[in-house]
Amino acid sequence: MRLRLTIGHKILLAIGLVSAVILTGISSFYLEHERKNILRQNQRARTEQVQGVVNGLKAIMIPGFASIAQSYAEQLRKVPGMVDFRIMRLDGRQAFLDNETIEDVNWRRGKDIFPLQEERGKRHQILSKNNPNLVRALAEKRQVFYEERGEENELLQTILIPIVNERECHLCHDPDQPLRGVVKMTTSLAQVDEAIADAQRRAGMILLTSLTLLLMVVFVLIRRSVIKPIQEVERAMSRVAAGDLSFQVPVVSHDELGDMAKNFNIMVDQLLRTYTGFQAERNKLSTIILSAREGIIVTDQHEHIVLVNPAAERFLGKTSEQIVQGGFLHFMDDPDYVQQLVVSGGAGMPETVVYNQLVLSIHAARICSPGGDVIGSAALIRDVTEEKKLEEKLRHLSYTDKLTGLFNRRRMEELMAVEFDRAQRYGLSLSYLLLDVDHFKRFNDQHGHDMGDRVLQMVGRCMLNFFRKSDFPCRYGGEEFCVILTNIPNTANDRGFCQVAERLRKTIEEMVIDGLQVTVSIGVSIMTNREFPDVSSMIKAADNALYRAKKLGRNRVVLANTLDTQSEEENKTG
């Protein structure tokens, strides 16, 4: 489990660390000062002690009692705290162990003033003559302190004090030699270490006590002035995060934390107003979406469906749970189609599809942020079944003659262009029949226009029932009709098309309309091997053939020939 540090803990920890570092530095400085002070006092005491010893040696040597100097030195070693005491010559050898000095003195005095003694040791080297501390003491002619470790790792302090060759000594010693010897005294620093350790313990107690008191005071101040206000803001933020935007932080101070509480209250108040506005807009949008006549399906950035309105359920014949469970790409049970629709944005795709016995117009696309990141997908579904029915009805009305129910002339021209182009391209057979009701003006003049319309209606009905679905009967205008015939068997010698035209003529001739007989004249133009260069020439040929049929006595079928492609005036003059 991860330990969670509050801001109060962090502040207290930071102040504690800084305070500890500062107090430790002060304590270290104090301890170093105390250590140096203790060492200085120890050095001062040892210096006075050694100086007293030197003065004692002078008192022994000047009256001529040099023989007891060694005994004097050995007695000094027994002083408490004294580890070693030596009187050395200038080259670091221990003095008073041989007769070298006595012989030199007797020679300088010219008589045996001092008797020789039994030698107790020769060349007993205490310090090397090159010892840096010895060299320094002899060069500077003053005491030198240095520290070292004893055999039991005990810290020792040694003082070297040169013995000056004073005037009183010149009687026995060479006056040109400024120093007579060196006193080496080594003492234990155990007491000094104990004093330093005691100072460290005192400093540690003072440090710990000071740090504890400081942290207690800081904790109380921080808790009252920092932690408590921050906890209030944190509590308020938790309430806001939980959805309670009415909570206000109490302002208990006039410092930065008080300003933070004021700004937080202002922010929450603005957030509340914004949220209220968003909620109202959301309610409006939800009302619009749920009541929309178009089906709407929306996903999030992970393609999970988050919105399905009732219209989408109705159009797809599925519940919202089924749509959500199936996924966005499967809402129409054709994931490839939906995927292509989303990717292409509908470009090159069918405008409508038939699904669930409805004609649906579907648009689907990705929803992207201003930065271009995909944040979801959406599909808009419209039921255009009635629209398509209405379009088909309007299309039928725009292509149909109101009186006869046949295709009108505009539709005939469109169909003739298509069929002529197809016949020309693939070498297919094509025929164009142009027929005219014989003596139609007589029907209008003798029986009225209503009877004329009745005749036209009956002819149109006969043509609708007579021809195949692949043929196109049309009302050309007035009492004229036309038929576009495609792919009739036995068309190699034009017989098939002419037989169809003849059967049509006979069928109309056999009709009796309100006791009246109706006949028609028919002109036929046929293309079996790209004989006509364009549609107008083929229509003109049928029209000229119709003219000849009327001229020949009406109620007959006339096949167009090469002369029928010329104008009527040309035929008359020919």
Side-chain angles (χ1 to χ4, degrees):
M1 183 176 178
R2 188 176 179 181
L3 181 62
R4 180 177 180 269
L5 293 177
T6 64
I7 189 171
H9 294 149
K10 293 179 181 179
I11 294 175
L12 191 63
L13 180 60
I15 294 177
L17 291 175
V18 173
S19 301
V21 171
I22 295 175
L23 292 176
T24 301
I26 295 174
S27 177
S28 299
F29 176 79
Y30 168 76
L31 286 174
E32 183 63 20
H33 177 75
E34 283 296 303
R35 189 184 72 83
K36 291 181 179 180
N37 188 43
I38 292 172
L39 290 176
R40 281 197 300 269
Q41 291 178 358
N42 181 70
Q43 289 177 359
R44 189 181 300 112
R46 295 307 178 191
T47 301
E48 292 175 356
Q49 185 179 15
V50 174
Q51 195 61 47
V53 171
V54 172
N55 292 335
L57 284 174
K58 289 180 180 179
I60 293 173
M61 296 296 292
I62 291 175
F65 299 109
S67 58
I68 65 172
Q70 182 60 29
S71 298
Y72 177 73
E74 291 178 357
Q75 291 298 321
L76 287 175
R77 293 193 190 101
K78 300 177 182 180
V79 175
M82 188 73 68
V83 176
D84 189 24
F85 183 86
R86 306 279 182 171
I87 301 174
M88 301 183 300
R89 292 191 177 99
L90 297 178
D91 58 1
R93 289 180 297 139
Q94 186 173 349
F96 303 113
L97 296 181
D98 54 30
N99 292 317
E100 180 180 337
T101 303
I102 295 175
E103 291 174 351
D104 181 69
V105 173
N106 287 339
W107 176 81
R108 188 174 297 281
R109 297 288 296 270
K111 55 182 178 180
D112 295 333
I113 298 177
F114 298 102
L116 298 177
Q117 59 184 357
E118 182 181 357
E119 294 185 359
R120 289 174 286 180
K122 293 183 179 181
R123 296 287 178 181
H124 188 69
Q125 198 74 32
I126 303 303
L127 293 176
S128 171
K129 64 179 180 179
N130 296 325
N131 183 280
N133 295 307
L134 178 59
V135 172
R136 180 182 169 192
L138 296 177
E140 297 179 2
K141 299 182 181 61
R142 63 181 183 84
Q143 68 271 17
V144 173
F145 287 89
Y146 64 92
E147 297 176 0
E148 58 186 348
R149 290 288 175 180
E151 296 179 356
E152 299 180 357
N153 202 31
E154 180 184 7
L155 185 60
L156 305 176
Q157 187 182 62
T158 299
I159 181 173
L160 301 179
I161 298 181
I163 302 175
V164 181
N165 189 8
E166 298 179 350
R167 185 182 298 275
E168 294 85 353
C169 303
H170 292 174
L171 183 62
C172 297
H173 299 283
D174 185 4
D176 294 332
Q177 188 72 30
L179 300 175
R180 291 165 50 196
V182 179
V183 174
K184 175 180 177 291
M185 186 175 69
T186 301
T187 57
S188 174
L189 290 180
Q191 294 181 348
V192 175
D193 287 343
E194 182 63 29
I196 293 175
D198 184 62
Q200 290 177 340
R201 285 191 295 271
R202 292 197 305 271
M205 291 298 297
I206 293 173
L207 173 65
L208 183 60
T209 303
S210 301
L211 185 60
T212 303
L213 292 176
L214 176 63
L215 292 179
M216 290 176 63
V217 173
V218 170
F219 176 77
V220 173
L221 292 176
I222 291 177
R223 182 172 179 80
R224 294 184 58 185
S225 60
V226 178
I227 298 178
K228 189 174 180 180
I230 291 178
Q231 287 177 341
E232 290 291 341
V233 175
E234 181 185 16
R235 189 178 302 109
M237 293 176 69
S238 299
R239 295 276 294 273
V240 171
D244 184 5
L245 298 179
S246 62
F247 188 78
Q248 295 286 306
V249 180
V251 180
V252 296
S253 61
H254 300 284
D255 52 11
E256 290 84 352
L257 292 175
D259 294 338
M260 183 175 68
K262 292 179 182 177
N263 292 331
F264 179 82
N265 292 336
I266 294 174
M267 179 188 70
V268 172
D269 184 61
Q270 293 177 347
L271 185 61
L272 178 60
R273 290 199 297 269
T274 303
Y275 176 78
T276 303
F278 280 159
Q279 192 67 29
E281 295 299 322
R282 179 184 177 183
N283 293 336
K284 293 179 183 178
L285 184 60
S286 298
T287 302
I288 294 173
I289 292 175
L290 294 177
S291 59
R293 298 179 61 183
E294 293 80 8
I296 300 174
I297 301 176
V298 181
T299 74
D300 59 16
Q301 59 183 349
H302 303 294
E303 292 299 318
H304 298 151
I305 296 178
V306 296
L307 173 64
V308 178
N309 72 340
E313 296 180 276
R314 186 171 62 255
F315 295 158
L316 300 176
K318 300 178 182 179
T319 64
S320 60
E321 291 78 9
Q322 291 174 324
I323 297 174
V324 171
Q325 185 176 5
F328 184 73
L329 296 180
H330 296 267
F331 72 83
M332 285 192 61
D333 303 325
D334 189 350
D336 294 335
Y337 171 79
V338 177
Q339 178 69 29
Q340 185 64 26
L341 196 64
V342 171
V343 172
S344 64
M349 303 287 290
E351 294 183 358
T352 59
V353 294
V354 178
Y355 185 84
N356 194 30
Q357 298 180 350
L358 297 174
V359 180
L360 302 178
S361 173
I362 301 176
H363 299 276
R366 302 288 188 198
I367 304 173
C368 297
S369 66
D373 298 327
V374 177
I375 59 176
S377 301
L380 181 66
I381 308 171
R382 293 179 59 242
D383 179 10
V384 295
T385 304
E386 295 301 324
E387 294 179 17
K388 291 301 177 181
K389 290 180 180 179
L390 181 59
E391 287 179 6
E392 187 63 28
K393 184 176 181 180
L394 292 174
R395 185 181 299 109
H396 179 74
L397 291 175
S398 66
Y399 290 158
T400 305
D401 178 66
K402 183 177 181 181
L403 180 64
T404 63
L406 301 176
F407 288 126
N408 58 22
R409 181 169 181 171
R410 186 180 72 170
R411 182 57 176 166
M412 181 275 296
E413 292 174 350
E414 293 176 355
L415 293 172
M416 187 61 184
V418 173
E419 294 300 327
F420 185 87
D421 181 69
R422 188 163 68 92
Q424 286 277 54
R425 183 179 304 171
Y426 301 108
L428 302 176
S429 59
L430 179 68
S431 178
Y432 182 80
L433 279 61
L434 187 61
L435 56 147
D436 185 270
V437 177
D438 296 331
H439 305 295
F440 181 72
K441 187 174 184 298
R442 185 178 61 188
F443 286 102
N444 286 331
D445 294 342
Q446 294 180 2
H447 305 285
H449 289 282
D450 291 340
M451 185 60 192
D453 291 343
R454 175 72 173 158
V455 169
L456 295 177
Q457 288 176 343
M458 295 303 295
V459 172
R461 182 178 302 174
C462 177
M463 293 176 68
L464 284 174
N465 296 328
F466 181 84
F467 290 103
R468 305 168 302 170
K469 291 184 178 180
S470 59
D471 300 327
F472 306 104
C474 309
R475 183 183 179 187
Y476 193 78
E479 69 275 17
E480 289 185 320
F481 297 86
C482 65
V483 183
I484 302 172
L485 299 178
T486 62
N487 199 20
I488 297 294
N490 300 322
T491 56
N493 54 5
D494 303 336
R495 186 176 59 184
F497 289 117
C498 291
Q499 289 176 350
V500 172
E502 184 61 25
R503 289 201 306 270
L504 174 64
R505 185 193 67 78
K506 290 181 178 181
T507 300
I508 295 175
E509 185 182 22
E510 293 173 356
M511 288 194 313
V512 178
I513 304 173
D514 296 336
L516 300 176
Q517 184 180 21
V518 179
T519 62
V520 294
S521 300
I522 303 176
V524 181
S525 62
I526 300 172
M527 183 176 66
T528 59
N529 193 21
R530 305 182 180 89
E531 291 85 353
F532 297 99
D534 51 37
V535 172
S536 60
S537 62
M538 190 172 182
I539 294 176
K540 182 166 60 176
D543 185 51
N544 290 336
L546 173 62
Y547 176 79
R548 288 195 292 112
K550 289 184 177 182
K551 193 174 181 181
L552 293 174
R554 293 183 173 84
N555 192 23
R556 67 187 66 242
V557 176
V558 175
L559 178 64
N561 55 36
T562 56
L563 294 176
D564 290 325
T565 59
Q566 302 176 9
S567 65
E568 183 178 346
E569 289 76 10
E570 291 175 342
N571 291 334
K572 291 179 180 180
T573 58

